[in-house]
Amino acid sequence: MMKPSPPARESFAPPTGDMSKEDFRRFGHELIDWIGDYFERIEDLPVLAQIEPGELKAQLPSSPPDKGEPMQQILADVDRLIVPALTHWSHPSFFAYFATSTSAPGIFGELLAAAFDNKAMLWRTSPASTELEEVALDWLRQMMGLDAGLTGIIYDTASVSSMHAIAAAREGVEMRIREEGMSGRKDLPLLRVYASEQAHSSIDKGIITLGLGQKSLRKIPTDSEFRMDPRALAEAIEQDKRNGIVPFCVVATVGTTSTSSIDPVPAIVEVCEQHALWLHVDTAYAGSAAVVPELRYLVAGCERADSVVTNPHKWLFTPFDLSVLYCRHMDLLRRAFSLVPEYLRTPEQEKVRSGSDYGIQLGRRFRALKLWMIIRYFGQEGLATRIREHCRLARLFALWVEESQDWELLAPLPLSLICFRACPKADGETGEVRGKRLDVLNEAVMHGVNATGRALLSHTRLNDKLTLRLSIGNIRTTEKHVRQVWDLLNEELKRLAH
């Protein structure tokens, strides 16, 4: 809890200027102490926020204060109002979605970036951000074993990274879309993007945002392990070509959201090269695992891809947000987005890289600082050790599932995401009745566990079965936490059975 300061020293904003350096140091020390205490006591907090919709809003004033309030009161309200309304993503029993967490060096990096407050739109406006980004991303590329021909650039999320990759691919079609647009053109055929049925919804959103329309996205069937079928991809491309459609981009996924399945990138590369299509690989989740030498096979084929996205904020303990797009054709990416008005022209612009030339944003945060500090603090070996341990814990949980008569696995386990469900038998059930009963049962089990506040799971649907997802990726998660959620699941299943 935030320690209250003596009332006699209440800190109000001065009439002009910023907070005094004495108060800044004082409250800064208090905040660092508070964060340290927060991580120490986080296991005592419910993972899922235990509030109803609108509850926090109802406790906040409907209008802003006329006069400044003391910092002591503001910080006290963080404890009183904000913390109870948090879902704690850094909780070691957060197993939902793709489990993520921040880390101390990453927090320090964010603190420094906030203090520097650089807007890295041009090299001139932030040489440190521009050049550190190039170095840190090249370090990460080497750690992942990616090809030296891939150049990295930081965006906020994989959704934005993938959208930029598709925009660069579209620029390579050479149909003057940048200059003439797509609307109202009778000379422009339908442009096609391909992705598997398991691809992330951000691909759909990126295509909508770029004006291509959902009609431009063709979903390719997957095999029994939820991986894109390269033969079906090739057939779809050939069919589209015969029908006057112009294929230009394929999106493969290494670590799909529902199951963490791994598309066969080497085989997909062959199809793309045969038809001269841009291959974008979405490895937002699984890419981090490639820093583990024995898991580097995951990115096999990416050395021939045109672009690859990976998110250090998912499994490299980097505070959200930081997504990296590696691109082989930076000239096309620049051609798609570069626009330099007179007031942004500088003498050195032809000799340096300016981030604003490679995306929709003008200003860019100093995100590279936190990644650089994390890589330096943990080192590749330290990061690999933590990811390796998460994979071990996932295999252990999967073993408990396999050894139980009441549970079953519903997807392979390439990394640290387990897809499973409760499947207790009931006499005389038909297949359809059993399927509906198990869907209802598993949803109830999930909500029951989540309601305890001691763990948080999510779900998906696989082969039309409601499937529980347990993702392990938090820097503070240990075997104790994995055992606890297994016990919670079995307790809830037993309770519902009665």
Side-chain angles (χ1 to χ4, degrees):
M1 302 292 289
M2 198 80 70
K3 298 177 179 63
S5 301
R9 295 188 58 197
E10 279 195 331
S11 169
F12 290 89
T16 59
D18 198 1
M19 180 185 290
S20 71
K21 65 179 181 181
E22 293 80 13
D23 280 346
F24 180 78
R25 291 178 188 277
R26 172 187 168 203
F27 290 114
H29 284 297
E30 284 190 18
L31 274 172
I32 291 295
D33 286 342
W34 187 91
I35 293 170
D37 291 343
Y38 169 71
F39 286 135
E40 282 189 5
R41 69 186 176 97
I42 195 169
E43 291 189 55
D44 298 328
L45 300 172
V47 189
L48 182 65
Q50 305 292 294
I51 68 168
E52 295 298 321
E55 190 173 326
L56 172 61
K57 188 176 177 180
Q59 298 179 75
L60 298 171
S62 59
S63 57
D66 290 329
K67 296 183 182 297
E69 300 176 16
M71 183 56 67
Q72 291 93 332
Q73 183 177 331
I74 297 168
L75 297 181
D77 281 348
V78 171
D79 269 329
R80 184 175 68 89
L81 299 173
I82 304 304
V83 172
L86 289 173
T87 291
H88 298 279
W89 283 70
S90 283
H91 197 294
S93 292
F94 186 107
F95 298 111
Y97 313 109
F98 280 127
T100 67
S101 63
T102 187
S103 62
I107 292 170
F108 292 150
E110 285 279 37
L111 178 63
L112 287 170
F116 298 148
D117 198 26
N118 276 201
K119 286 76 174 175
M121 50 193 181
L122 308 172
W123 177 89
R124 169 171 290 200
T125 61
S126 186
S129 177
T130 303
E131 298 190 13
L132 189 67
E133 179 172 324
E134 293 178 16
V135 171
L137 298 192
D138 195 59
W139 283 3
L140 180 60
R141 178 195 61 76
Q142 294 174 52
M143 290 163 61
M144 292 175 61
L146 294 176
D147 178 48
L150 291 165
T151 300
I153 185 166
I154 294 176
Y155 300 112
D156 53 1
T157 61
S159 301
V160 171
S161 291
S162 292
M163 185 193 73
H164 282 80
I166 295 169
R170 186 180 66 177
E171 189 65 22
V173 174
E174 302 290 353
M175 290 189 174
R176 296 186 57 78
I177 291 173
R178 174 184 166 117
E179 296 82 3
E180 298 180 23
M182 301 178 68
S183 177
R185 288 182 60 179
K186 295 181 179 179
D187 64 321
L188 191 65
L190 180 67
L191 304 179
R192 183 78 87 192
V193 178
Y194 305 84
S196 91
E197 297 169 336
Q198 295 290 317
H200 194 269
S201 59
S202 62
I203 305 305
D204 302 65
K205 281 193 173 184
I207 283 169
I208 294 169
T209 304
L210 291 169
L212 290 159
Q214 289 176 290
K215 187 178 179 182
S216 290
L217 180 61
R218 182 162 180 174
K219 298 289 182 73
I220 304 300
T222 55
D223 63 16
S224 60
E225 296 186 6
F226 308 103
R227 302 172 301 187
M228 184 191 290
D229 181 348
R231 182 176 298 179
L233 171 65
E235 291 172 355
I237 293 168
E238 289 164 2
Q239 181 187 58
D240 281 347
K241 283 185 169 182
R242 289 195 297 271
N243 291 332
I245 294 170
V246 177
F248 75 99
C249 182
V250 175
V251 179
T253 309
V254 174
T256 58
T257 302
S258 284
T259 68
S260 73
S261 58
I262 312 295
D263 284 344
V265 176
I268 294 170
V269 166
E270 296 289 342
V271 175
C272 290
E273 290 182 349
Q274 179 183 349
H275 294 278
L277 304 185
W278 182 293
L279 175 61
H280 174 61
V281 182
D282 176 359
T283 182
Y285 159 64
S288 297
V291 307
V292 184
E294 65 268 27
L295 295 179
R296 195 161 288 168
Y297 71 89
L298 293 167
V299 294
C302 288
E303 71 278 0
R304 294 160 64 188
D306 298 283
S307 55
V308 179
V309 60
T310 187
N311 282 6
H313 69 231
K314 278 195 168 68
W315 208 1
L316 282 183
F317 321 118
T318 302
F320 187 81
D321 49 21
L322 197 160
S323 178
V324 180
L325 177 67
Y326 287 105
C327 184
R328 193 176 302 281
H329 310 287
M330 294 296 281
D331 58 325
L332 288 177
L333 186 61
R334 188 177 191 276
R335 201 168 84 192
F337 291 103
S338 180
L339 185 67
V340 185
E342 184 59 37
Y343 52 80
L344 292 179
R345 297 189 185 279
T346 62
E348 68 280 345
Q349 66 185 38
E350 299 303 322
K351 299 183 291 184
V352 296
R353 190 175 92 176
S354 292
S356 58
D357 283 336
Y358 298 88
I360 57 173
Q361 283 185 287
L362 177 58
R364 305 172 72 247
R365 295 177 58 225
F366 193 173
R367 290 186 178 95
L369 186 59
K370 56 189 173 183
L371 179 61
W372 177 71
M373 291 176 71
I374 287 168
I375 294 173
R376 290 192 63 186
Y377 181 76
F378 293 111
Q380 180 170 357
E381 289 184 7
L383 293 168
T385 296
R386 287 160 176 80
I387 292 172
R388 193 180 284 120
E389 173 64 3
H390 292 159
C391 293
R392 183 193 73 82
L393 293 175
R395 291 193 299 271
L396 179 63
F397 186 94
L399 179 63
W400 297 337
V401 171
E402 289 179 314
E403 290 177 344
S404 172
Q405 294 182 346
D406 292 328
W407 301 87
E408 64 179 344
L409 295 175
L410 293 182
L413 177 63
L415 292 165
S416 65
L417 170 66
I418 308 101
C419 294
F420 65 106
R421 71 169 179 170
C423 58
K425 293 187 173 70
D427 295 334
E429 277 185 321
T430 63
E432 184 176 350
V433 171
R434 172 177 164 80
K436 290 181 179 179
R437 177 180 68 86
L438 291 182
D439 278 0
V440 172
L441 174 64
N442 278 275
E443 187 169 10
V445 167
M446 178 182 68
H447 289 316
V449 169
N450 291 348
T452 68
R454 296 166 62 195
L456 185 63
L457 307 176
S458 59
H459 76 284
T460 188
R461 292 198 75 85
L462 299 176
N463 295 323
D464 203 29
K465 298 173 183 176
L466 190 138
T467 303
L468 304 184
R469 296 172 70 261
L470 188 141
S471 173
I472 301 172
N474 190 300
I475 198 169
R476 297 168 188 85
T477 299
T478 67
E479 188 170 326
K480 176 189 77 171
H481 304 105
V482 177
R483 169 57 73 177
Q484 176 181 266
V485 71
W486 175 243
D487 291 342
L488 286 170
L489 285 160
N490 282 284
E491 288 168 12
E492 189 63 21
L493 180 60
K494 184 177 179 181
R495 186 187 71 81
L496 290 168
H498 290 82

